[in-house]
Amino acid sequence: MDFNSGLLPYGNKWRLHRKMFHVALNKDATLEYKTMQLQKVQQLLENMINTPKQYDKHFKTMSAAIIMAVTYGYDVAPRHDPFVTKIERFMELFLAVLTPERAALLSFVPILQHIPSWSPGGKYKRRAGECRALAYDVLNDPVAFVKKKMAAGTAEKSLVRDLYDKEIGETANPDLEEDVKAVAATVFLGGAETTDSTLLVFLLAMILNPDVQAKAQEEIDRVVGTQRLPNFEDRPDLPYVEGVYLETLRWRPVVPMALPHMTSVSDVYEGMYIPKGAFVLVNIWAMTHDETRFPDPMAFKPERHLTPSGTLAAGTTSHSFGFGRRICPGRYMADQAVWAAMVSMLATLRISKDKDEFGGEIEVKPEFTTGLSIHPKPFLCSITARSDEAAQLVRESNSGE
Ligand code: HEM
């Protein structure tokens, strides 16, 4: 995981990675991915209508498809995609190996790192071995795919192609190539789970707040109509939907303590001495639940981001992407993907509590995983097309009619 840009300390390598992210994922560059993102969202809608119980899997598929297209110009296979399967296994192993408590134990009792992999308690080492082998493939295989396509003159626009064109050019500097591979792999690691977790939060919020869903749908029907799917040009005219989006990020930020930071010099802050090298965790969750800014913070209220006349209030940016120099470099891409998925689901789907055998609603108690990045635990829900017309629109959008 040394290659992961999010874990790099300040320095030339981290600066180079940030520059690469900026070249490929700045606000303007990201605009070029809008059409592709909408296409992947349309596939999501069809999957949701066909097999709604697998909503979790459909979000994962959509996030992976967008990220692989943005990063490598690669169209993922609907099932068992060879690249995605390896990356997902890699992440699963990594997250299992490096839980915060295990990391703390290993750093406080370093001798534990030397226990043989066959001994009791050595399971993490066996997993680490598999993880290391997979890391090699995760870094190299998709970039080899792009280079082959570039040589044939058929490479789609992507982060890797942009970086080869703009940063590496004719120099073919092997060090820079390693950094391109690292930056590209980091996009999946930083972007896939966070995007689909945010969509799970949205789904949960819609089940628990049917009045919010109805209001958002009323706005979409009024502004967009029911004869077409919404697109990015509608965004400024849908302030309530924007409120739903901002409230989703605020209500349950999926990276609630950002990434751990460390002070590079000693400092005194409000009378407290903070030594150089101290861990600093930014409590994003506390900021987005600050009662002075967000009264009744546990309630899901899109109105809090709007003026009394219903327009978007000034200064409604989200804290959920972090701050300062280490702010999330994928925020524009995530913003587009999450908004597009939300507005399209609202336009075409009815999301509600599931029913039991007697027709009674099954209550949903929101529960979340813990860790650096969190998501709602599985919950029951019912997802159907809002109308025959909506189902037809979804089918047509996917058949290219
Ligand atoms: C809704 C989706 C997302 C959320 C909520 C989110 C949130 C965050 C947060 C809170 C941080 C820590 C910032 C800090 O420590 O101040 C972060 C860092 C990061 N994110 Fe995201 N992120 C999302 C999507 C993405 C995507 C799509 C990418 C793909 C490029 C990405 C790549 C990264 C990277 C590379 C870092 C580390 C930056 C650094 O250390 O310099 N994230 N993200």
Side-chain angles (χ1 to χ4, degrees):
M1 267 288 178
D2 289 354
F3 67 83
N4 184 338
S5 320
L7 304 180
L8 290 177
Y10 276 116
N12 290 340
K13 194 176 255 310
W14 172 79
R15 267 190 290 277
L16 174 66
H17 281 210
R18 289 294 305 202
K19 185 177 163 221
M20 289 182 169
F21 279 119
H22 181 75
V23 166
L25 296 180
N26 68 60
K27 201 170 183 176
D28 289 339
T30 309
L31 297 178
E32 292 190 45
Y33 293 115
K34 280 180 170 177
T35 308
M36 176 276 295
Q37 286 176 318
L38 284 174
Q39 277 163 5
K40 304 296 179 197
V41 166
Q42 285 154 11
Q43 284 162 13
L44 167 80
L45 299 177
E46 186 148 16
N47 290 341
M48 286 291 193
I49 292 174
N50 291 342
T51 48
K53 297 285 173 233
Q54 297 182 22
Y55 63 85
D56 188 7
K57 191 177 135 233
H58 301 327
F59 283 148
K60 276 199 167 59
T61 305
M62 187 208 79
S63 306
I66 290 180
I67 283 182
M68 294 303 281
V70 168
T71 316
Y72 306 105
Y74 174 77
D75 210 7
V76 295
R79 238 169 275 121
H80 310 307
D81 184 90
F83 291 152
V84 174
T85 307
K86 276 191 181 172
I87 299 178
E88 286 181 350
R89 174 71 183 145
F90 175 63
M91 279 186 74
E92 191 187 321
L93 285 169
F94 170 69
L95 292 173
V97 169
L98 203 78
T99 58
E101 61 278 14
R102 193 170 273 139
L105 193 66
L106 290 176
S107 52
F108 283 117
V109 194
I111 192 138
L112 289 178
Q113 293 174 35
H114 304 293
I115 60 168
S117 56
W118 45 263
S119 65
K123 194 168 134 202
Y124 88 91
K125 270 199 116 174
R126 288 194 296 280
R127 285 178 161 175
E130 188 190 347
C131 207
R132 203 169 295 128
L134 274 172
Y136 181 85
D137 296 347
V138 162
L139 284 165
N140 289 286
D141 294 357
V143 173
F145 162 86
V146 183
K147 285 178 76 173
K148 208 168 144 195
K149 288 266 186 186
M150 284 175 72
T154 55
E156 298 283 339
K157 175 183 164 55
S158 70
L159 172 140
V160 170
R161 200 195 75 183
D162 277 0
L163 292 179
Y164 270 93
D165 286 347
K166 294 179 192 160
E167 296 295 303
I168 298 191
E170 301 298 307
T171 59
N173 176 342
D175 287 344
L176 271 184
E177 286 207 72
E178 289 312 303
D179 287 304
V180 170
K181 289 177 191 170
V183 163
T186 300
V187 175
F188 199 100
L189 303 175
E193 193 176 305
T194 43
T195 303
D196 65 62
S197 300
T198 306
L199 290 173
L200 285 172
V201 172
F202 160 73
L203 198 64
L204 182 63
M206 291 305 98
I207 291 164
L208 298 173
N209 301 277
D211 49 327
V212 170
Q213 186 182 165
K215 253 179 130 168
Q217 289 175 332
E218 182 280 316
E219 182 181 69
I220 295 170
D221 291 349
R222 184 166 33 83
V223 174
V224 180
T226 52
Q227 305 295 311
R228 64 173 179 87
L229 295 174
N231 60 46
F232 286 100
E233 279 161 26
D234 300 312
R235 192 165 181 177
D237 301 322
L238 297 168
Y240 191 81
V241 172
E242 200 66 33
V244 174
Y245 166 72
L246 289 167
E247 190 64 348
T248 301
L249 293 175
R250 182 204 70 81
W251 186 54
R252 300 289 178 159
V254 296
V255 193
M257 305 283 277
L259 293 180
H261 291 237
M262 194 187 263
T263 45
S264 47
V265 288
S266 305
D267 197 8
V268 175
Y269 179 74
E270 293 193 350
M272 287 172 287
Y273 173 66
I274 305 171
K276 177 179 173 181
F279 270 117
V280 178
L281 291 171
V282 180
N283 195 341
I284 291 181
W285 195 92
M287 296 172 80
T288 67
H289 288 75
D290 174 359
E291 291 193 46
T292 59
R293 278 198 65 199
F294 305 108
D296 192 10
M298 296 306 284
F300 190 91
K301 291 187 191 166
E303 290 81 4
R304 57 172 105 241
H305 306 283
L306 305 178
T307 63
S309 63
T311 57
L312 199 63
T316 45
T317 52
S318 168
H319 293 314
S320 302
F321 291 109
F323 320 86
R325 278 188 275 175
R326 294 207 81 133
I327 193 170
C328 174
R331 62 195 181 284
Y332 300 117
M333 182 177 133
D335 169 90
Q336 283 179 191
V338 172
W339 182 85
M342 277 179 32
V343 75
S344 308
M345 288 173 70
L346 286 165
T348 55
L349 305 177
R350 182 181 300 113
I351 302 161
S352 53
K353 287 182 184 152
D354 210 359
K355 299 242 167 77
D356 62 23
E357 55 194 304
F358 307 108
E361 283 189 339
I362 304 175
E363 283 313 313
V364 171
K365 192 168 153 262
E367 284 183 322
F368 287 78
T369 57
T370 57
L372 272 187
S373 130
I374 63 158
H375 58 81
K377 289 187 180 170
F379 51 87
L380 289 172
C381 69
S382 156
I383 302 171
T384 52
R386 273 182 79 200
S387 62
D388 290 346
E389 203 180 13
Q392 173 81 3
L393 264 183
V394 170
R395 269 194 305 275
E396 282 170 9
S397 65
N398 282 306
S399 66
E401 281 174 39

